Amino acid sequence: MTEKPDIRELLRDRILVLDGAMGTMIQQLELEEEDFRGTQFRDHPDNLKGNNDILSITQVEKIREIHMAFLEAGADIIETNTFNSTSISQADYGMEGAVREINLQSARIAREAADEVTARNPEKPRYVAGSIGPTNKTASMSPDVNDPGFRAVSFDDLKMAYLEQAEGLLEGGAELFLVETIFDTLNAKAAIVALNELFRQQNTRLPVMISGTITDASGRTLSGQTLEAFIQSLSHVDLLSLGLNCSLGAKEMRPYIKELAGKSPFFVSTHPNAGLPNQFGEYDETPASMATQMQEFLEQGQVNIIGGCCGTTPAHIREFAKLAENRQPRKPAPSMNRFQLSGLEPLASFEGSNFINIGERLNVAGSKKFARLIREKKYEEALDIALHQVENGAQVLDVNMDDAMLDAEKEMVTFLNLMMAEPEVARVPLMVDSSKWSVIEAGLKCVQGKSIVNSISLKEGTDAFIQHAKKIRDYGAAAVVMAFDEDGQAATYERRISICERAYRLLTKAAGFPPQDIIFDPNILTIGTGMEEHNNYAVDFIRTVEWIKENLPHAKVSGGVSNLS
């Protein structure tokens, strides 16, 4: 296969062009049921018409011709015909068993086309992005209005489906991954965890693009997140690009691309629909009119990659390629090393801001009332406690289900899912709190925003500490780190700073953990007891906080479990 430069090098120098809508082009072919079936699936018991992805097996030449049309129109990146190629989406057609082959063949067709065009003109290399769609299910919302805690798909279901898809795409020759049309950030997180697992298994790493979709003029995703919260929820990933695509046309997408361009430390992509659908479900923006709308993004230096979604054809891409010529690409915003958290909305914090207040009343160990309500399954009343905390100024909600009378893992999942269904509660970030790793991980799989884990420590040794930290990083959370090690709890100033320094180095060097996402709890021990050996506890704590601030850059400190600074 043709050797190509790192795509990041190209993006620093010029604007790249993504292809247009595979689905639109397939619709124009007016294929019938027998075309979708081909000879390979002639006897399949379910109807296959409309399953565009299966055409990569049954109509190879037609898919290849579509790729070639977009390449010849000037596309630098073409997407594989795999938007719905997960076992979850293919279940609608009874085609789960063909998922691996669909992805493998789709990537091969696209790669052969891209390499052929690259060989003609090596100065303009073309790349293949493995298209990973959002599936037809959401992990953050219930499809049943009468059962808000129900989920039609689990995080683990999504992760395994994405992993299977990504394996096929990688084997077939995809050079990038594009996780696109994300309407639920938790789905995107599952894809990220799957990709990280694949990269570790294969000892490789491909650039990853993520593109979300704003569903209407509210400026939120379907699962309720604002754009800034969406950015913060994915800030832990080393992305090639973060962008927006689909539902809105270029004109309506303009304010959100401007916001994204101002806040994202990654390259920015946009591939909007050809306007909003008309009453017939068709798209009215012509190549010329859409190019006029797209031109503003380029003139204002807001984008690095442009392309088209629903309704766009090679004619649209040809106009975009002309626009991209000799235009200066956007320079990514510098990373600020800021501590950021989000629920449906971002937590407003900045350098020099005061304490972050954490609501503690959703802790079965700290609230007898909450513990009783959970034991009695009175979740609606328990949710009222959460709402009252937010109304009274809690900026983060701590949830803990560690009680011998409870199945902590089950209760954590149940209650977090119910919390996510209450917008006034879900808008603030969460602290997933447990002494059991299995409970923490189960909780992280319920949260689309950027949360906090409370807590990890060196109590179980270096290996377990690094393993847990890497997983927390995969899920996109910050972490409270206790001043514990293999020898127990730190009770002196010297032990505190020694453990905190060791943990900081392991997190930042071995686990790749952002220093701004580390929150140390240096142990506020019992004071005022009258015992001489306890007299220096308060002073030692204050000295430890001062030392952390001076010696462990960007790390935060927890003052007990009620606030962060």
Side-chain angles (χ1 to χ4, degrees):
M1 293 184 178
T2 307
E3 189 72 25
K4 303 169 191 176
D6 187 329
I7 196 168
R8 290 181 178 83
E9 297 175 13
L10 301 184
L11 284 165
R12 294 187 187 101
D13 295 332
R14 64 185 179 90
I15 293 168
L16 298 188
V17 178
L18 187 67
D19 62 4
M22 174 64 73
T24 295
M25 297 301 291
I26 289 173
Q27 285 178 348
Q28 292 179 0
L29 297 175
E30 298 183 346
L31 302 177
E32 298 298 334
E33 177 70 27
E34 57 268 24
D35 299 310
F36 283 88
R37 289 178 174 273
T39 58
Q40 297 92 332
F41 304 106
R42 182 180 298 154
D43 299 323
H44 188 69
D46 299 317
N47 290 334
L48 293 180
K49 186 176 181 180
N51 187 2
N52 292 343
D53 299 20
I54 204 68
L55 297 174
S56 294
I57 296 174
T58 61
Q59 301 291 337
V60 172
E61 193 54 37
K62 286 182 170 58
I63 298 302
R64 184 181 185 280
E65 288 171 0
I66 292 172
H67 286 316
M68 291 300 291
F70 281 122
L71 289 164
E72 288 166 359
D76 298 290
I77 305 168
I78 58 171
E79 301 174 58
T80 55
N81 179 36
T82 54
F83 186 81
N84 289 306
S85 296
T86 58
S87 57
I88 293 170
S89 294
Q90 285 298 315
D92 288 349
Y93 301 96
M95 293 297 295
E96 302 97 314
V99 163
R100 178 77 176 218
E101 186 181 1
I102 294 171
N103 286 284
L104 178 64
Q105 295 303 330
S106 294
R108 280 179 176 168
I109 296 166
R111 185 64 187 271
E112 287 170 4
D115 286 353
E116 179 182 328
V117 177
T118 298
R120 294 182 204 162
N121 181 9
E123 297 301 311
K124 186 178 169 63
R126 315 301 180 95
Y127 298 83
V128 172
S131 173
I132 297 178
T135 80
N136 51 10
K137 291 182 170 60
T138 170
S140 289
M141 297 184 294
S142 171
D144 183 353
V145 294
N146 298 313
D147 188 0
F150 172 70
R151 296 294 182 268
V153 68
S154 72
F155 186 97
D156 288 334
D157 291 337
L158 285 164
K159 190 203 83 168
M160 293 308 298
Y162 285 133
L163 180 59
E164 180 183 27
Q165 178 177 28
E167 287 171 342
L169 290 170
L170 180 63
E171 185 178 347
E175 298 158 287
L176 324 165
F177 285 110
L178 172 55
V179 183
E180 62 174 313
T181 322
I182 292 299
F183 55 76
D184 181 350
T185 311
L186 193 54
N187 287 39
K189 285 188 174 185
I192 290 162
V193 171
L195 290 174
N196 284 340
E197 185 171 317
L198 175 66
F199 295 153
R200 285 191 283 266
Q201 288 175 357
Q202 300 291 331
N203 194 28
T204 188
R205 179 164 288 274
L206 269 59
V208 176
M209 304 168 65
I210 289 183
S211 185
T213 184
I214 301 297
T215 54
D216 55 38
S218 70
R220 294 177 183 258
T221 62
L222 183 65
S223 58
Q225 275 199 314
T226 65
L227 179 57
E228 186 171 1
F230 174 75
I231 296 169
Q232 292 180 3
S233 298
L234 298 170
S235 62
H236 63 290
V237 191
D238 181 18
L239 295 176
L240 176 68
S241 66
L242 186 63
L244 295 173
N245 74 289
C246 201
S247 65
L248 302 178
K251 181 179 179 181
E252 290 76 15
M253 197 180 281
R254 189 180 302 157
Y256 310 117
I257 290 296
K258 181 179 180 181
E259 180 181 358
L260 184 60
K263 295 176 178 176
S264 172
F266 313 111
F267 293 118
V268 166
S269 70
T270 179
H271 54 294
N273 289 346
L276 293 171
N278 60 29
Q279 63 268 36
F280 304 108
E282 298 173 346
Y283 298 88
D284 296 326
E285 290 281 0
T286 66
S289 65
M290 193 172 178
T292 300
Q293 301 291 345
M294 296 284 280
Q295 185 172 350
E296 185 174 326
F297 298 145
L298 281 68
E299 289 177 343
Q300 296 187 2
Q302 296 173 343
V303 293
N304 304 94
I305 302 169
I306 59 172
C309 202
C310 304
T312 57
T313 66
H316 291 82
I317 300 308
R318 187 171 291 107
E319 292 299 317
F320 298 167
K322 291 176 186 176
L323 285 177
E325 289 180 0
N326 303 316
R327 293 282 186 179
Q328 288 299 309
R330 166 189 168 274
K331 297 188 184 307
S335 177
M336 303 299 290
N337 292 320
R338 285 173 49 204
F339 179 65
Q340 298 176 321
L341 299 172
S342 62
L344 295 182
E345 298 172 8
L347 174 67
S349 68
F350 50 89
E351 195 64 35
S353 62
N354 209 337
F355 292 113
I356 295 171
N357 296 312
I358 300 174
E360 298 178 312
R361 309 317 296 166
L362 305 179
N363 187 328
V364 294
S367 170
K368 290 183 178 180
K369 179 180 179 180
F370 182 73
R372 175 180 59 78
L373 292 173
I374 295 298
R375 283 195 297 269
E376 295 175 359
K377 312 296 183 187
K378 294 181 178 178
Y379 297 118
E380 198 167 319
E381 292 181 48
L383 284 170
D384 284 340
I385 296 175
L387 181 59
H388 290 154
Q389 287 193 106
V390 174
E391 291 173 342
N392 290 327
Q395 296 165 281
V396 177
L397 293 177
D398 178 277
V399 183
N400 183 298
M401 297 291 177
D402 287 359
D403 185 295
M405 302 296 291
L406 296 174
D407 181 337
E409 188 172 328
K410 180 181 177 182
E411 295 296 348
M412 179 67 78
V413 171
T414 298
F415 194 65
L416 290 186
N417 282 346
L418 289 168
M419 289 178 71
M420 296 304 97
E422 293 289 340
E424 278 303 304
V425 174
R427 67 182 179 85
V428 303
L430 295 181
M431 177 177 278
V432 182
D433 183 358
S434 179
S435 60
K436 301 175 183 177
W437 172 253
S438 63
V439 178
I440 287 174
E441 189 166 20
L444 290 173
K445 293 174 182 179
C446 300
V447 182
Q448 65 172 320
K450 182 171 181 181
S451 56
I452 304 172
V453 165
N454 187 16
S455 61
I456 57 172
S457 75
L458 285 158
K459 189 182 341 184
E460 297 176 31
T462 298
D463 290 345
F465 181 71
I466 293 173
Q467 180 186 10
H468 291 163
K470 285 182 175 180
K471 285 196 171 185
I472 293 169
R473 172 82 167 141
D474 277 356
Y475 290 115
V480 173
V481 181
M482 302 294 291
F484 278 82
D485 66 5
E486 299 89 338
D487 296 324
Q489 183 179 30
T492 66
Y493 167 74
E494 290 75 15
R495 282 264 296 148
R496 284 187 176 106
I497 66 172
S498 173
I499 293 173
C500 289
E501 182 175 29
R502 177 187 168 199
Y504 183 89
R505 302 302 171 203
L506 288 171
L507 287 168
T508 56
K509 302 298 183 184
F513 213 86
Q516 65 270 22
D517 287 347
I518 301 171
I519 305 162
F520 284 108
D521 185 342
N523 304 334
I524 299 180
L525 302 176
T526 305
I527 57 176
T529 65
M531 298 175 66
E532 185 176 349
E533 59 266 34
H534 295 172
N535 288 348
N536 220 40
Y537 278 177
V539 173
D540 283 351
F541 174 79
I542 293 169
R543 289 176 64 205
T544 303
V545 172
E546 183 179 29
W547 185 90
I548 289 171
K549 294 290 187 181
E550 291 177 354
N551 294 278
L552 305 180
H554 306 297
K556 303 297 179 185
V557 178
S558 169
V561 293
S562 59
N563 56 62
L564 307 177
S565 65

